[in-house]
Coordinates of all heavy atoms in Angstrom, one line a residue:
Chain G
N59 N 41.8 50.7 18.8 CA 41.2 51.1 20.1 C 41.5 52.5 20.6 O 40.7 53.2 21.1 CB 41.6 50.0 21.2 CG 40.7 48.8 21.1 OD1 39.8 48.7 20.3 ND2 41.1 47.8 21.9
V62 N 39.6 55.0 18.8 CA 38.2 55.1 19.3 C 38.2 56.0 20.5 O 37.3 56.9 20.7 CB 37.7 53.7 19.6 CG1 36.4 53.8 20.5 CG2 37.4 52.9 18.4
I79 N 37.3 44.3 29.5 CA 37.4 42.9 28.9 C 38.3 43.0 27.7 O 38.3 43.9 26.9 CB 36.0 42.4 28.5 CG1 36.1 41.0 27.9 CG2 35.3 43.4 27.5 CD1 34.7 40.3 27.7
P81 N 39.3 42.2 24.1 CA 40.3 43.2 23.6 C 39.8 44.6 23.6 O 40.4 45.4 23.0 CB 40.6 42.7 22.2 CG 39.3 42.2 21.7 CD 38.5 41.7 22.9
Q82 N 38.8 44.9 24.5 CA 38.3 46.3 24.5 C 39.2 47.1 25.4 O 39.2 48.3 25.3 CB 36.9 46.2 25.0 CG 36.2 47.5 25.4 CD 36.5 47.9 26.9 OE1 37.1 48.9 27.2 NE2 35.9 47.1 27.8
I85 N 40.7 50.7 25.2 CA 39.8 51.9 25.0 C 39.6 52.5 26.4 O 39.7 53.7 26.6 CB 38.4 51.5 24.4 CG1 38.6 50.8 23.0 CG2 37.5 52.7 24.3 CD1 37.4 50.4 22.3
F126 N 28.9 57.1 26.7 CA 29.6 56.1 25.8 C 30.0 54.9 26.7 O 30.2 55.0 27.9 CB 30.9 56.8 25.3 CG 31.8 55.8 24.6 CD1 31.5 55.4 23.3 CD2 32.9 55.2 25.2 CE1 32.3 54.5 22.6 CE2 33.7 54.3 24.6 CZ 33.4 53.9 23.2
T127 N 30.0 53.8 26.1 CA 30.6 52.6 26.8 C 31.3 51.7 25.7 O 31.0 51.9 24.5 CB 29.7 51.8 27.7 OG1 30.5 50.9 28.4 CG2 28.7 51.0 26.9
A128 N 32.1 50.8 26.1 CA 32.7 49.9 25.2 C 32.8 48.5 25.8 O 32.9 48.4 27.0 CB 34.1 50.4 24.9
T129 N 32.7 47.5 25.0 CA 32.8 46.1 25.5 C 33.2 45.2 24.4 O 33.6 45.6 23.3 CB 31.4 45.7 26.1 OG1 31.6 44.5 26.9 CG2 30.3 45.5 25.1
A130 N 33.1 43.9 24.7 CA 33.4 42.8 23.7 C 32.8 41.5 24.2 O 32.6 41.4 25.4 CB 34.9 42.6 23.6
S131 N 32.5 40.7 23.3 CA 32.2 39.2 23.6 C 31.3 39.0 24.8 O 30.1 39.4 24.8 CB 33.6 38.6 23.8 OG 33.5 37.2 24.1
Q132 N 31.8 38.4 25.9 CA 31.0 38.0 27.0 C 30.4 39.2 27.6 O 29.2 39.1 28.1 CB 31.9 37.3 28.1 CG 32.7 36.2 27.7 CD 32.0 35.0 27.0 OE1 32.1 34.7 25.9 NE2 31.0 34.5 27.8
G133 N 31.1 40.3 27.6 CA 30.5 41.6 28.2 C 29.3 42.0 27.4 O 28.3 42.4 28.0
L134 N 29.3 41.9 26.1 CA 28.2 42.3 25.3 C 27.0 41.3 25.5 O 25.9 41.8 25.7 CB 28.6 42.3 23.8 CG 27.5 42.8 22.8 CD1 27.2 44.3 23.0 CD2 27.9 42.5 21.4
L135 N 27.4 40.1 25.7 CA 26.3 39.1 25.9 C 25.7 39.3 27.3 O 24.4 39.2 27.4 CB 26.8 37.7 25.8 CG 27.5 37.3 24.5 CD1 27.8 35.8 24.5 CD2 26.7 37.6 23.3
M137 N 25.2 42.1 28.6 CA 24.4 43.3 28.5 C 23.0 43.0 27.8 O 22.2 43.9 27.7 CB 25.0 44.3 27.6 CG 26.2 45.0 28.2 SD 26.9 46.2 27.0 CE 28.2 46.9 27.9
L141 N 20.4 45.8 26.4 CA 20.4 46.2 25.0 C 19.0 46.4 24.5 O 18.7 47.5 23.8 CB 21.2 45.3 24.1 CG 22.7 45.1 24.4 CD1 23.3 44.1 23.4 CD2 23.5 46.4 24.5
V152 N 26.1 55.5 22.4 CA 27.0 55.0 21.4 C 28.0 54.0 22.2 O 28.5 54.4 23.2 CB 27.8 56.1 20.7 CG1 28.9 55.5 19.9 CG2 26.8 56.9 19.8
M153 N 28.1 52.8 21.6 CA 28.9 51.8 22.3 C 29.9 51.3 21.2 O 29.5 51.0 20.1 CB 28.1 50.7 22.8 CG 28.9 49.5 23.2 SD 28.0 48.3 24.3 CE 26.7 47.7 23.2
M154 N 31.1 51.1 21.6 CA 32.1 50.4 20.8 C 32.1 48.9 21.2 O 32.3 48.6 22.4 CB 33.5 51.0 21.0 CG 34.5 50.5 19.9 SD 34.1 51.2 18.3 CE 34.9 50.0 17.3
N155 N 31.9 48.0 20.2 CA 32.1 46.6 20.6 C 33.3 46.1 19.8 O 33.4 46.3 18.6 CB 30.9 45.8 20.2 CG 31.1 44.3 20.6 OD1 31.2 43.9 21.7 ND2 31.3 43.4 19.6
V156 N 34.3 45.4 20.5 CA 35.4 44.9 19.8 C 35.1 43.4 19.7 O 35.1 42.6 20.7 CB 36.7 45.1 20.6 CG1 37.9 44.6 19.8 CG2 36.9 46.6 20.9
N157 N 34.9 42.9 18.4 CA 34.5 41.6 18.2 C 35.5 40.6 18.7 O 36.7 40.6 18.5 CB 34.4 41.3 16.7 CG 33.2 41.8 16.0 OD1 33.2 42.4 15.0 ND2 32.0 41.5 16.6
R158 N 35.0 39.6 19.5 CA 35.8 38.5 20.0 C 34.9 37.3 20.1 O 33.8 37.4 20.4 CB 36.3 38.9 21.4 CG 37.0 37.8 22.2 CD 37.3 38.2 23.6 NE 37.2 37.1 24.5 CZ 37.4 37.2 25.8 NH1 37.7 38.3 26.4 NH2 37.2 36.1 26.5
V160 N 33.0 34.0 21.3 CA 32.2 33.8 22.6 C 32.4 32.4 23.1 O 32.6 31.5 22.3 CB 30.7 34.2 22.4 CG1 30.5 35.6 22.0 CG2 30.1 33.2 21.3
D169 N 36.1 37.2 15.9 CA 34.9 36.5 15.3 C 33.7 37.3 15.6 O 33.6 37.9 16.7 CB 34.8 35.1 16.0 CG 33.6 34.3 15.7 OD1 32.5 34.8 15.9 OD2 33.7 33.1 15.2
Q170 N 32.8 37.5 14.7 CA 31.8 38.6 14.9 C 30.5 38.1 15.5 O 29.5 38.8 15.5 CB 31.5 39.2 13.5 CG 32.7 39.9 12.9 CD 32.5 40.2 11.4 OE1 32.1 39.3 10.7 NE2 32.8 41.4 11.0
T171 N 30.5 36.8 15.9 CA 29.2 36.3 16.4 C 28.7 37.1 17.6 O 27.4 37.1 17.8 CB 29.4 34.8 16.8 OG1 30.0 34.1 15.7 CG2 28.1 34.1 17.0
D172 N 29.6 37.6 18.4 CA 29.1 38.4 19.6 C 28.1 39.5 19.2 O 27.0 39.5 19.7 CB 30.2 38.9 20.5 CG 31.2 39.8 19.8 OD1 31.1 40.0 18.5 OD2 32.1 40.4 20.4
S173 N 28.5 40.4 18.3 CA 27.7 41.5 18.0 C 26.5 41.1 17.1 O 25.4 41.6 17.2 CB 28.5 42.7 17.4 OG 29.2 42.2 16.2
L174 N 26.8 40.1 16.2 CA 25.8 39.7 15.2 C 24.6 39.1 16.0 O 23.5 39.2 15.6 CB 26.3 38.8 14.1 CG 27.3 39.6 13.2 CD1 28.0 38.6 12.2 CD2 26.5 40.6 12.3
S175 N 24.9 38.4 17.1 CA 23.9 37.7 17.8 C 23.0 38.8 18.6 O 22.0 38.4 19.1 CB 24.4 36.7 18.8 OG 25.1 37.3 19.9
Q176 N 23.4 40.0 18.5 CA 22.6 41.1 19.2 C 21.8 41.9 18.1 O 21.3 43.0 18.3 CB 23.5 42.1 19.9 CG 24.4 41.4 21.0 CD 23.6 40.5 21.9 OE1 22.6 40.9 22.5 NE2 24.0 39.3 22.1
W181 N 19.5 47.9 18.1 CA 20.6 48.8 18.0 C 21.0 49.0 16.5 O 21.0 48.0 15.7 CB 21.8 48.2 18.7 CG 21.7 48.4 20.2 CD1 20.8 47.9 21.0 CD2 22.7 49.1 21.0 NE1 21.0 48.3 22.3 CE2 22.2 49.0 22.4 CE3 23.8 49.9 20.8 CZ2 22.8 49.7 23.4 CZ3 24.5 50.5 21.9 CH2 24.0 50.4 23.2
Q183 N 23.9 49.1 13.9 CA 25.2 48.5 14.0 C 26.0 48.9 12.7 O 25.6 48.7 11.6 CB 25.1 47.0 14.0 CG 24.6 46.4 15.3 CD 24.9 44.9 15.3 OE1 25.4 44.2 14.4 NE2 24.6 44.3 16.5
Y184 N 27.2 49.4 13.0 CA 28.2 49.8 12.0 C 29.4 48.8 12.1 O 29.9 48.7 13.2 CB 28.8 51.2 12.1 CG 27.9 52.3 11.8 CD1 27.3 53.2 12.7 CD2 27.7 52.7 10.4 CE1 26.6 54.3 12.4 CE2 27.0 53.9 10.1 CZ 26.5 54.6 11.1 OH 25.8 55.8 10.8
Y185 N 30.0 48.3 11.0 CA 31.2 47.5 11.0 C 32.3 48.3 10.3 O 32.1 48.7 9.2 CB 31.0 46.1 10.5 CG 30.1 45.3 11.4 CD1 28.7 45.5 11.4 CD2 30.7 44.3 12.2 CE1 27.9 44.7 12.3 CE2 29.9 43.6 13.1 CZ 28.5 43.8 13.1 OH 27.8 43.1 14.0
T186 N 33.4 48.4 10.9 CA 34.5 49.2 10.3 C 35.7 48.4 10.0 O 35.9 47.3 10.6 CB 34.9 50.4 11.3 OG1 35.3 49.8 12.5 CG2 33.7 51.3 11.5
S192 N 37.1 53.6 12.3 CA 36.4 53.5 13.6 C 36.3 54.9 14.2 O 35.2 55.2 14.8 CB 37.3 52.5 14.5 OG 37.2 51.2 14.0
V196 N 32.6 56.5 15.0 CA 32.1 56.8 16.3 C 31.5 58.2 16.3 O 30.4 58.4 16.9 CB 33.2 56.6 17.4 CG1 32.8 57.3 18.7 CG2 33.5 55.2 17.6
T210 N 23.4 53.0 19.3 CA 24.3 52.6 18.1 C 25.6 52.0 18.6 O 26.2 52.4 19.5 CB 24.6 53.9 17.3 OG1 23.4 54.5 16.9 CG2 25.4 53.6 16.0
M211 N 25.8 50.9 17.9 CA 27.0 50.1 18.2 C 28.0 50.2 17.0 O 27.6 50.0 15.9 CB 26.6 48.6 18.3 CG 27.4 47.7 19.1 SD 26.7 46.0 19.0 CE 25.2 46.1 19.9
V212 N 29.2 50.6 17.3 CA 30.2 50.6 16.3 C 31.1 49.4 16.6 O 31.5 49.2 17.7 CB 31.1 51.9 16.2 CG1 32.1 51.9 15.2 CG2 30.1 53.1 16.1
V213 N 31.4 48.6 15.5 CA 32.1 47.3 15.8 C 33.3 47.2 15.0 O 33.3 47.5 13.8 CB 31.1 46.2 15.4 CG1 31.7 44.8 15.8 CG2 29.7 46.4 16.0
H214 N 34.4 46.9 15.6 CA 35.6 46.4 14.9 C 36.2 45.2 15.5 O 35.9 44.9 16.7 CB 36.6 47.6 14.7 CG 37.4 48.1 15.9 ND1 38.0 49.3 15.9 CD2 37.6 47.6 17.1 CE1 38.5 49.5 17.1 NE2 38.3 48.5 17.8
E215 N 37.1 44.5 14.8 CA 37.5 43.2 15.2 C 38.7 43.2 16.1 O 39.6 44.1 16.0 CB 37.7 42.3 14.0 CG 36.4 41.8 13.3 CD 36.5 41.8 11.8 OE1 36.4 42.9 11.2 OE2 36.8 40.8 11.3
A216 N 38.7 42.2 17.0 CA 39.9 42.0 17.9 C 41.2 42.0 17.1 O 41.3 41.3 16.0 CB 39.7 40.7 18.6
S220 N 41.7 46.3 16.5 CA 41.8 46.9 17.8 C 43.2 47.2 18.3 O 43.5 48.2 18.9 CB 41.1 46.0 18.8 OG 41.8 44.8 19.0

Side-chain angles (χ1 to χ4, degrees):
Chain G
N59 278 353
V62 167
I79 182 168
Q82 167 271 116
I85 300 177
F126 174 80
T127 192
T129 191
S131 183
Q132 307 302 119
L134 184 68
L135 302 188
M137 288 178 179
L141 297 184
V152 171
M153 168 162 67
M154 191 71 203
N155 182 68
V156 185
N157 281 134
R158 166 187 148 183
V160 297
D169 174 303
Q170 298 165 313
T171 311
D172 58 352
S173 55
L174 290 170
S175 73
Q176 306 306 312
W181 282 61
Q183 288 195 354
Y184 284 108
Y185 289 77
T186 58
S192 293
V196 165
T210 303
M211 205 182 288
V212 180
V213 185
H214 67 202
E215 284 142 279
S220 67

